[in-house]
Amino acid sequence: MPPRQGIDGLYPCPQNQNDYRLCSTNVDNAMRALADRGRIGKYAVTVQTILRFPDHRLCATAQRLVVFDEDLCSLATDLLDTLRAASAIGITATHIGVLKRLAVIELAAADGVRTYVNPEIVWASADMIRHEEGSVSMPGVTEEIERHARVRVSYQELSGVERIKEADGLLSVCLQHEVDQLDGIFWIYRLSRLKRDRVVKRFDKTQRTHASGN
């Protein structure tokens, strides 16, 4: 099994092949469908085109969502389908060119799908951890970044219900990464100028290599 990419970084995580398409006029049913990993053949997979660095939209601030309806559930499913197709563990609506404050995270099959509407970091621990990160918008390159070891995040469910939860470890890192993206902070801007320039050069090289077919 190849590693999954993304916090898009590189983390081993088995993929569920039973992907689906959300299709419900009822938000509660749509939420249950999004969480149901056992559906087979009922929904069509919709994979969206991912923006590539240096697209200027990756540095734009996403807008808060105020309408919680079928369209929002459909967008969440598009993100999940696209995340899985990219072998990633986290993605935001910004990554597919939709400047709405929505993130989907799937660290591992056993953890289930986590959907965050209007997420905000409301508290962060003083202790820090370092973790390898990357982006679905900048595939093929990663770099170690320092993040808070634990965070508390406020968000809403797809139904609009407000929640506050704490996270640590990889989930904490992933949440900080995705909230940064929604705030218009692309991950490489958490690096020093020297490291950022090196990452960009590595990415440019991988793109040239890919374009040449080597």
Side-chain angles (χ1 to χ4, degrees):
M1 176 68 68
R4 295 190 71 174
Q5 307 228 2
I7 315 194
D8 307 52
L10 298 173
Y11 307 102
C13 178
Q15 295 194 60
N16 185 336
Q17 300 301 316
N18 301 326
D19 290 323
Y20 50 83
R21 172 70 184 166
L22 248 150
C23 180
S24 173
T25 58
N26 181 281
V27 172
D28 291 333
N29 289 340
M31 290 176 64
R32 285 193 289 270
L34 185 63
D36 182 356
R37 308 176 61 83
R39 295 180 180 268
I40 300 174
K42 188 174 181 179
Y43 303 103
V45 175
T46 303
V47 177
Q48 302 297 316
T49 300
I50 296 174
L51 300 182
R52 286 287 182 263
F53 175 84
D55 193 297
H56 69 278
R57 287 168 289 181
L58 293 170
C59 292
T61 302
Q63 299 176 343
R64 286 186 62 85
L65 285 151
V66 296
V67 177
F68 299 83
D69 58 6
E70 181 187 0
D71 288 342
L72 177 57
C73 294
S74 181
L75 176 58
T77 306
D78 286 351
L79 288 179
L80 180 60
D81 291 339
T82 306
L83 175 148
R84 289 173 170 171
S87 297
I89 62 172
I91 195 169
T92 69
T94 298
H95 286 113
I96 61 171
V98 179
L99 297 178
K100 301 295 184 182
R101 206 164 182 85
L102 176 66
V104 173
I105 293 173
E106 186 181 40
L107 300 184
D111 295 328
V113 180
R114 296 178 172 94
T115 304
Y116 300 88
V117 183
N118 299 323
E120 300 282 354
I121 304 296
V122 296
W123 173 84
S125 66
D127 51 318
M128 310 292 285
I129 56 175
R130 300 189 69 84
H131 208 286
E132 200 80 8
E133 297 186 29
S135 175
V136 292
S137 291
M138 204 177 193
V141 294
T142 62
E143 187 58 70
E144 196 175 72
I145 292 179
E146 187 174 61
R147 300 276 189 183
H148 298 282
R150 300 185 309 281
V151 295
R152 185 177 301 127
V153 59
S154 67
Y155 67 99
Q156 290 166 277
E157 296 180 350
L158 291 173
S159 64
V161 174
E162 296 181 353
R163 302 288 187 190
I164 295 180
K165 290 188 177 180
E166 290 194 15
D168 58 12
L170 179 56
L171 180 57
S172 172
V173 170
C174 198
L175 280 167
Q176 291 171 79
H177 180 108
E178 306 306 350
V179 169
D180 266 359
Q181 182 61 75
L182 294 172
D183 289 340
I185 304 172
F186 193 57
W187 75 283
I188 61 173
Y189 292 99
R190 289 295 185 185
L191 298 170
S192 67
R193 180 63 180 271
L194 178 60
K195 287 186 176 180
R196 183 164 67 245
D197 289 347
R198 287 175 177 172
V199 168
V200 171
K201 287 180 180 178
R202 294 205 313 267
F203 177 66
D204 288 343
K205 182 178 180 180
T206 63
Q207 294 303 289
R208 290 195 301 270
T209 300
H210 179 75
S212 67
N214 295 330

